[in-house]
Amino acid sequence: MSLKNESFPSSAAFDAINSSLQSDDAERKDAVKKGNAIFAFTLKNKDGQEESWYIDLKEKGSVGKGSAPDEKKADVTLSLSDEDFGKMVAGKTQAQRLFMSGKLKIKGDIMKATKMEPVLKKAQTKAKL
């Protein structure tokens, strides 16, 4: 099942991240060990619509739609524009720069948010944004 939403062009990255996590069992276990959190992403597109996806690096090493897997709560929620998320995943900007400029809002454990960057880097090679 594709996680891409046509209204959010950068959402294709969630398919790339999921594919990266599912393709290599050892890599998935390593990502879970390093991440040890559920990351939620709330993106806002140019029309002002919002959509959420999560990356579970606490238990399963999976990606899905919504703010968290069933009956779970995200440890950290990152809110930003679809365009900025696309740039971040493509490596054209850094999360820290977006945060400092007020374009990235973080709720929850800010230190856990820093553990998300290596997972996004893996998606850079697979996502065609």
Side-chain angles (χ1 to χ4, degrees):
M1 180 184 91
S2 176
L3 299 166
K4 185 175 181 186
N5 179 330
E6 295 303 323
S7 302
F8 296 82
S10 71
S11 65
F14 292 106
D15 280 329
I17 294 166
N18 195 38
S19 151
S20 172
L21 288 170
Q22 302 311 316
S23 65
D24 185 338
D25 203 39
E27 224 172 86
R28 181 174 65 248
K29 286 178 182 169
D30 185 54
V32 168
K33 185 177 171 188
K34 287 179 181 171
N36 192 28
I38 296 172
F39 302 90
F41 292 85
T42 300
L43 305 183
K44 190 177 216 173
N45 68 10
K46 289 180 176 160
D47 298 331
Q49 298 171 306
E50 285 190 354
E51 186 79 46
S52 296
W53 290 264
Y54 67 84
I55 301 173
D56 177 356
L57 294 181
K58 197 171 218 167
E59 294 174 8
K60 297 180 184 165
S62 62
V63 183
K65 284 189 177 179
S67 57
D70 293 337
E71 298 179 27
K72 302 270 190 262
K73 189 172 182 272
D75 294 287
V76 61
T77 301
L78 296 90
S79 302
L80 67 163
S81 74
D82 179 62
E83 182 181 357
D84 286 333
F85 179 72
K87 287 177 185 174
M88 191 170 73
V89 173
K92 294 178 182 167
T93 190
Q94 294 176 327
Q96 190 174 8
R97 189 169 290 146
L98 291 172
F99 180 74
M100 295 300 199
S101 65
K103 293 180 178 180
L104 169 63
K105 308 257 188 288
I106 299 174
K107 283 187 208 155
D109 190 337
I110 274 192
M111 293 314 292
K112 293 220 186 246
T114 62
K115 297 182 180 194
M116 192 65 237
E117 203 136 358
V119 174
L120 293 178
K121 281 202 184 339
K122 284 183 182 142
Q124 284 176 14
T125 56
K126 294 189 177 202
K128 305 275 187 285
L129 299 176

